[in-house]
Amino acid sequence: MPETVIHHGNELKAAELSFDDFKKIVINDYRVGYESRQASILGRREVLTGKAKFGIFGDGKEVAQLAMAKVFRNGDWRAGYYRDQTFMFATGMSNLKEFFAQLYAHPDIEKDPASAGRQMNCHYATRYVDKDGNWVNQAETKNTASDLSTTGGHMPRLLGLAYASKLYRQNKELEYLKQFSVNGNEVAFGTIGNGSTSEGLFFEAFNAAGVLQVPMAISIWDDAYAISVPAKLQTTKEDISEVLKGFQRDSKGAGYEIFKVKGWDYVALCETYERAIKICREEHVPVMIHVIEMTQPQGHSTSGSHERYKSKARLGWEDEHDCLVQMRKWMIESAIITTEDIDELEVTAKKHVRECQKEAWADLEGEIKTEMDEAVELIENIAEYSPKHNELHALTHELQSCVDPGRRDTIAAVRKALRITLGENSHERKVLADYLKDEFVKNKERFNSKLFTDTPHSPLLVPVVKAEYTEDARLLDGREVLNACFDANFERDKSIVAFGEDVGAIGDVNQGFAGLQAKYGDLRITDTGIREATIIGQGLGLAMRGLRPIAEIQYLDYLLYALTVLSDDVASLSYRTRGGQKAPLIVRSRGHRLEGIWHSGSPLGTILNSMRGMHICVPRDMTQAAGMYNTLLRGDEPALVIECLNGYRLKEKLPTNVGEFTVPLGKAEILREGNDITVVTYGSTLRIVMEAAVELEKMGINIEVVDPQTLYPFDTENVCANSLRKTNKLLVVDEDIPGGGSAYILQKVIEKQKGYYSLDAQPKTLCGAEHRPPYGSDGDYFSKPSLDDIIEAVYSVMNEASPGKYPAIY
């Protein structure tokens, strides 16, 4: 077998094995790899015949993944992408039947434990939250974080999974969390395609791991293409390990160990992974294994053929260097197996894969057929007494004639039957309508549930504890109230950590963590580089491994640089695993009324539309923020807390129970009662609205001011609609652009809370300009809602409702 580029050693520790034992290991590896290849081939056929919607597979990557699986231990973590099926089979974290169940989108946790049919095939996850919402013992299991389709999107999370091992090893106060780590010995394995190493998330995470020195092992599957784009259009020198040579650790400083090995060389792959992971695990040094000369026999996915963009010479080379072809050849030449025996193995493997596919399809088809038969019977029962019986018979015939029907076909037929028989009042029709309602409930659980984990540990269930004050309560800057809150929580819970730009040494730019690094150490309160995406990823990985991270994004404007991680990974985690994984990450940021294009951010429309699955907290002052942190740190769901930039030096009373009192999520507050108009606003504009209320009262207008406190969840007790029933008029004041956060609030109040029926005048919004505010106080005045704007907006609504009483100002 030709030599690999680097790293040869003791051939699978052959000296420690008998030749028979060695043969059994190798033969079993080949069997797993061959079965995986057949699953890829059969999976592609199932898509092309219409049984599955889309397919993407790991063919050509089998042998490297067999080698990687050999060094993956209990407690370890994988954060990979959709080529890793062989690794999942080899480690026992998945199997062939689950592979096909996911391909068919079976919405059953037992059949597809990774996603219950919510993710397309080869998107893996292990379930580390039990049915009662508790953590499983991760130290005793092999673990994989839920995959993403964005091919570099998992890299920030990989950093956090590895960083957790560093904290568990170096912070002895965490030794009590034995269900998450054994002295930090766990390695975080990441996989990525060569094309995706061109992405910023890869470079950001790669650099951060080198700085932090964490046990992160990145495998790059390099088949020389990214879909149709060759390496020469992707990577400098056409070689990512050449590009990254400067990260190699040496006498000048810490860094990586970088390995390079051919993807069809079984022996060298096993040796390389054993050596690399030993360094990574024992020394906590990040490693990169660049696996070159890989192939992709079926092309990128079922959406096209690689024959369109690969030359005949390349295709011929790929046929010859297919990793399983090379492994088979080596096994025969090395007398590990005879040609006859390996032929028989392959026949048996093909048969086994086919049986698993048939069983997976039969499981789903059987469920759907049972439901369809019941629906047909119910429709036919109506037809027996309905004047529309011909249409109903035709409908059931059409349903029964469906090729590979889905639940949508059955439900669509039921709904159509009810439309056909509109106006009929038979008992049979009522039975069908009740059946439909029951099916909607079942399908909501199948397809729409678990946006949040909704466990008994949800922050929505945290008991409400009121803030308590002494008569002579100290009046402090808001930042000092927040600082006292963080101090109390860090003392209470040793698993809490905080990090971000300038968070450590100077205690963050607004002093919320002032003095706390000196008190609790730099493992718990830590400075990071300027790298927003991996700050979030760092927090996500820690939260998945049982820690309680507060990840700070210095200004809300810069949250956009982390939006892909927040939206694709954090916010969708519970949903895409149907509650099988959770990450109680708290993202801390600050925004609103500071001046300038890059420091005045209120992009709530963007946040609300892209981060469903996270609680969005918009406290009006630092006391309310402290109460929200106290709540969130006792719950198990992710959240974003947006503090008011101009509130840190405003005076607030210090509660005696500053680390204990809680602010409930989703509970709106009426800050000022009034009868004339309801004004809904939040954050920094609340203070201006309250100032405007004083002048408006002099003009004979009493406004009722409602602070929703959190935008997600929004006003769960319908405080806004109840206020609107009294005032019959509504103004939403929001610093976001027109149609941003204000549109969301209007939909909640007018539609969901049915506030429309209480209106006597057109509801209005007062928002910021469509551009970002220019620098300077004048720019702020003419770009965001001012005191004058609010007064006149309220007055204009009153003028519309009663022009005689409230004549136009101008």
Side-chain angles (χ1 to χ4, degrees), residues 386-407:
S386 172
K388 303 287 184 66
H389 55 86
N390 287 337
E391 290 180 62
L392 293 171
H393 289 319
L395 183 62
T396 57
H397 176 73
E398 181 182 357
L399 178 59
Q400 290 174 309
S401 300
C402 280
V403 177
D404 300 330
R407 286 187 166 93

Side-chain angles (χ1 to χ4, degrees), residues 204 207-208 211 500-502 527-532 534-535 538:
E204 190 174 311
N207 178 64
V211 171
E501 298 158 21
D502 300 306
D527 284 314
T528 69
I530 300 174
R531 49 176 181 83
E532 285 80 10
T534 49
I535 287 172
Q538 192 171 325

Side-chain angles (χ1 to χ4, degrees), residues 462-475:
V462 171
V464 178
V465 178
K466 297 290 186 182
E468 298 174 356
Y469 299 92
T470 60
E471 289 185 7
D472 58 346
R474 295 168 62 196
L475 202 60

Side-chain angles (χ1 to χ4, degrees), residues 235-445:
T235 309
T236 302
K237 300 182 180 181
E238 301 184 43
D239 191 322
I240 190 63
S241 56
E242 286 293 312
V243 172
L244 298 175
K245 274 185 175 179
F247 283 87
Q248 174 68 47
R249 63 175 179 164
D250 54 26
S251 59
K252 297 178 182 178
Y256 275 76
E257 279 295 321
I258 298 177
F259 300 79
K260 196 172 190 178
V261 61
K262 292 177 180 175
W264 44 262
D265 190 335
Y266 173 77
V267 174
L269 283 161
C270 292
E271 295 166 358
T272 299
Y273 271 98
E274 183 179 345
R275 179 178 174 186
I277 302 308
K278 178 179 173 62
I279 293 169
C280 190
R281 192 183 305 279
E282 294 179 0
E283 300 180 39
H284 272 206
V285 170
V287 300
M288 184 189 82
I289 303 100
H290 183 194
V291 186
I292 61 170
E293 296 192 13
M294 283 187 147
T295 66
Q296 203 155 278
Q298 297 189 118
H300 172 76
S301 68
T302 54
S303 63
S305 170
H306 61 157
E307 284 85 357
R308 292 182 299 164
Y309 53 85
K310 290 178 182 175
S311 67
K312 289 184 179 180
R314 172 69 193 189
L315 291 169
W317 181 91
E318 289 192 7
D319 287 342
E320 180 183 352
H321 289 83
D322 184 298
C323 61
L324 290 179
V325 170
Q326 289 287 335
M327 184 175 178
R328 187 185 202 273
K329 179 182 177 183
W330 169 75
M331 289 168 66
I332 293 170
E333 291 176 350
S334 302
I336 291 170
I337 195 169
T338 65
T339 302
E340 293 75 18
D341 285 343
I342 203 168
D343 287 344
E344 183 179 348
L345 179 155
E346 291 173 354
V347 169
T348 302
K350 283 184 182 179
K351 182 179 179 182
H352 176 61
V353 172
R354 185 65 174 169
E355 288 171 352
C356 290
Q357 175 266 318
K358 287 180 177 178
E359 289 177 14
W361 176 250
D363 286 345
L364 179 60
E365 186 182 40
E367 290 179 16
I368 292 174
K369 188 176 188 309
T370 298
E371 294 168 15
M372 184 180 74
D373 290 344
E374 184 179 1
V376 167
E377 181 180 354
L378 293 175
I379 295 171
E380 289 292 339
N381 288 343
I382 299 175
E384 189 173 347
Y385 302 100
S386 172
K388 303 287 184 66
H389 55 86
N390 287 337
E391 290 180 62
L392 293 171
H393 289 319
L395 183 62
T396 57
H397 176 73
E398 181 182 357
L399 178 59
Q400 290 174 309
S401 300
C402 280
V403 177
D404 300 330
R407 286 187 166 93
R408 64 175 184 171
D409 298 296
T410 296
I411 296 303
V414 170
R415 296 171 82 172
K416 188 170 183 179
L418 291 170
R419 293 197 301 272
I420 290 171
T421 58
L422 192 63
E424 298 180 22
N425 296 309
S426 67
H427 169 73
E428 289 76 13
R429 188 179 188 281
K430 183 180 184 304
V431 170
L432 184 64
D434 289 341
Y435 167 84
L436 180 62
K437 291 174 185 175
D438 290 342
E439 289 301 305
F440 276 143
V441 171
K442 293 175 186 176
N443 285 313
K444 185 174 183 179
E445 176 61 28

Side-chain angles (χ1 to χ4, degrees), residues 775-797:
Y775 176 65
S777 298
D778 286 345
D780 179 75
Y781 179 84
F782 288 104
S783 302
K784 288 202 170 185
S786 68
L787 177 69
D788 299 313
D789 293 330
I790 293 166
I791 291 169
E792 292 177 10
V794 169
Y795 192 88
S796 70
V797 177

